[in-house]
Amino acid sequence: MDLPASAFPSPVHDHQDCVRAALDAAEAKCEQRGARLTSLRRRVLELVWTSHEPVGAYALLDTLKSEGQAAAPPTVYRALDFLIEQGLVHRLERLNAFVGCPRPEASHSAQFLICTACGRAAELDDPAIGQAVRQGAEARGFSVGRQTIEVEGLCADCQGTLQKK
Amino acid sequence: MDLPASAFPSPVHDHQDCVRAALDAAEAKCEQRGARLTSLRRRVLELVWTSHEPVGAYALLDTLKSEGQAAAPPTVYRALDFLIEQGLVHRLERLNAFVGCPRPEASHSAQFLICTACGRAAELDDPAIGQAVRQGAEARGFSVGRQTIEVEGLCADCQGTLQKK
DNA sequence: GGGGCGATGTTATGTTGTAACAACCGTACT
DNA sequence: AGTACGGTTGTTACAACATAACATCGCCCC
């Protein structure tokens, strides 16, 4: 077996593959769950997947408006709420921004790595982390619900770039 | 040695002790660091310590204004920035709110437990958690900087209360 | 074809946070 | 005392993020 060298995609990856995979997975998951991935919701998901950088709600809104879509803040927030509900998008609390989930099939409580140099965010799905949090909390009698784990730092690519300078 | 049964204080603790201890520790730490704990900053810290529930910046602002203090948003945010800088206050990203640090002496990258029933937040200073995060991230070549770890759930007291019903 | 329901449109407003510049205040140096 | 300086606070204006409330649309089912 091979561990991923990085949670971040290669700088030269074919991002269209990411987008296609995400949309296909979304279609499948919504159908399976009986949820309606309308064209608006689908379009918002696609826009979130424009890159691996988390995107703000108002940036999405501007794009929608520039495409002639009737849109106001609730338009975007409702679509995002739906996508989060379905596990297709995550919200990054530190950034007030949203990022596509690369593995919507698996239900998970994810952790996020946020590169402060390139702005990208990657999802870490490390059971050991969730487990450590759960143990620490429960040892103090705390019953764990939702976990928010966001780590700022430098991705492997940016460490290399900065060193070369 | 005894582990703390809970990261949360007893519902019947003498909160004035918390406040006094926090202010004393703040005085000491600022003096040691050559930072100026002015009366405004001290007052904001005291207000943050009004309870163990995280408090929003605009709630602090309202209180200051009600006391006749000339105050606008920057008044509060600047004081909070200072207190955070000195490690006397933490910001909870999920809540956009602020809470006093109970152990400002030790430099730490803390984790927070947030009780969704009573609204209180408690600090967990569990090296194993930070270590697990660091390991998971570094195994993927990510260089870890600041960690944000916030866990929602039920504190021991609220679990008891809810069960009794 | 009418009722019901979920999705979207629309208007207005609430909440959180910051930029930019002016005024103040103590301290050190002259 | 005078004054130059840096850090703190006051003040105004605005930016960024998010939601409440109600109207309208469109589809499915009967």
Side-chain angles (χ1 to χ4, degrees):
Chain A
M1 65 174 282
D2 49 356
L3 279 177
S6 169
F8 290 79
S10 155
V12 297
H13 77 292
D14 182 352
H15 188 61
Q16 281 310 310
D17 286 348
C18 298
V19 178
R20 269 190 297 269
L23 292 176
D24 289 350
E27 297 278 10
K29 190 162 186 189
C30 286
E31 182 163 5
Q32 163 200 336
R33 297 181 56 162
R36 294 173 51 190
L37 187 63
T38 63
S39 73
L40 175 62
R41 289 166 173 171
R42 188 187 156 90
R43 181 61 185 141
V44 170
L45 178 59
E46 195 176 5
L47 290 177
V48 168
W49 272 102
T50 297
S51 80
H52 291 272
E53 291 182 46
V55 58
Y58 278 70
L60 296 170
L61 178 57
D62 288 345
T63 305
L64 286 179
K65 284 200 275 197
S66 77
E67 294 174 345
Q69 166 77 42
T75 309
V76 170
Y77 281 104
R78 285 192 289 229
L80 288 170
D81 286 347
F82 171 85
L83 295 168
I84 291 169
E85 186 89 12
Q86 304 305 318
L88 303 171
V89 162
H90 295 292
R91 175 187 169 87
L92 297 179
E93 300 292 343
R94 282 192 62 78
L95 305 178
N96 296 330
F98 303 86
V99 70
C101 176
R103 313 229 260 97
E105 310 79 23
S107 86
H108 51 248
S109 103
Q111 305 95 32
F112 297 93
L113 306 178
I114 303 169
C115 179
T116 53
C118 66
R120 293 185 300 170
E123 194 168 328
L124 205 56
D125 208 350
D126 187 334
I129 295 174
Q131 193 54 30
V133 170
R134 183 169 299 276
Q135 278 188 11
E138 292 184 347
R140 277 100 172 161
F142 188 86
S143 164
V144 172
R146 172 174 179 167
Q147 299 182 7
T148 299
I149 299 178
E150 298 174 11
V151 184
E152 288 185 346
L154 290 178
C155 71
D157 298 320
C158 287
Q159 288 173 60
T161 300
L162 296 175
Q163 281 172 357
K164 283 174 192 161
K165 284 187 178 174
Chain B
M1 68 174 280
D2 49 354
L3 279 176
S6 169
F8 289 80
S10 155
V12 296
H13 76 294
D14 182 352
H15 188 61
Q16 282 309 313
D17 286 349
C18 298
V19 177
R20 269 190 297 268
L23 292 176
D24 288 351
E27 297 279 9
K29 191 163 186 188
C30 285
E31 181 163 6
Q32 162 200 338
R33 298 181 56 162
R36 294 174 50 190
L37 186 63
T38 64
S39 74
L40 175 63
R41 289 165 173 172
R42 189 187 155 90
R43 180 62 184 140
V44 169
L45 178 59
E46 195 176 4
L47 290 176
V48 168
W49 272 101
T50 298
S51 81
H52 292 273
E53 291 182 46
V55 59
Y58 279 71
L60 297 170
L61 177 57
D62 288 345
T63 304
L64 286 179
K65 284 200 277 197
S66 78
E67 295 174 345
Q69 166 76 43
T75 309
V76 169
Y77 281 103
R78 284 192 289 229
L80 288 170
D81 286 347
F82 171 86
L83 294 169
I84 290 168
E85 186 88 12
Q86 304 305 320
L88 303 172
V89 162
H90 295 293
R91 175 188 168 87
L92 295 179
E93 300 292 343
R94 282 193 63 77
L95 305 178
N96 296 330
F98 303 86
V99 70
C101 176
R103 313 231 261 99
E105 310 79 23
S107 85
H108 51 247
S109 101
Q111 305 95 32
F112 296 93
L113 306 179
I114 303 169
C115 179
T116 53
C118 67
R120 293 185 299 169
E123 194 168 329
L124 205 57
D125 208 352
D126 187 333
I129 295 175
Q131 193 53 31
V133 170
R134 184 170 297 274
Q135 278 189 10
E138 291 184 348
R140 277 98 171 165
F142 188 86
S143 163
V144 172
R146 173 174 178 167
Q147 299 182 7
T148 299
I149 299 178
E150 298 174 11
V151 183
E152 289 185 347
L154 290 178
C155 71
D157 299 319
C158 287
Q159 290 173 58
T161 301
L162 295 174
Q163 280 172 359
K164 283 175 195 162
K165 284 188 179 173

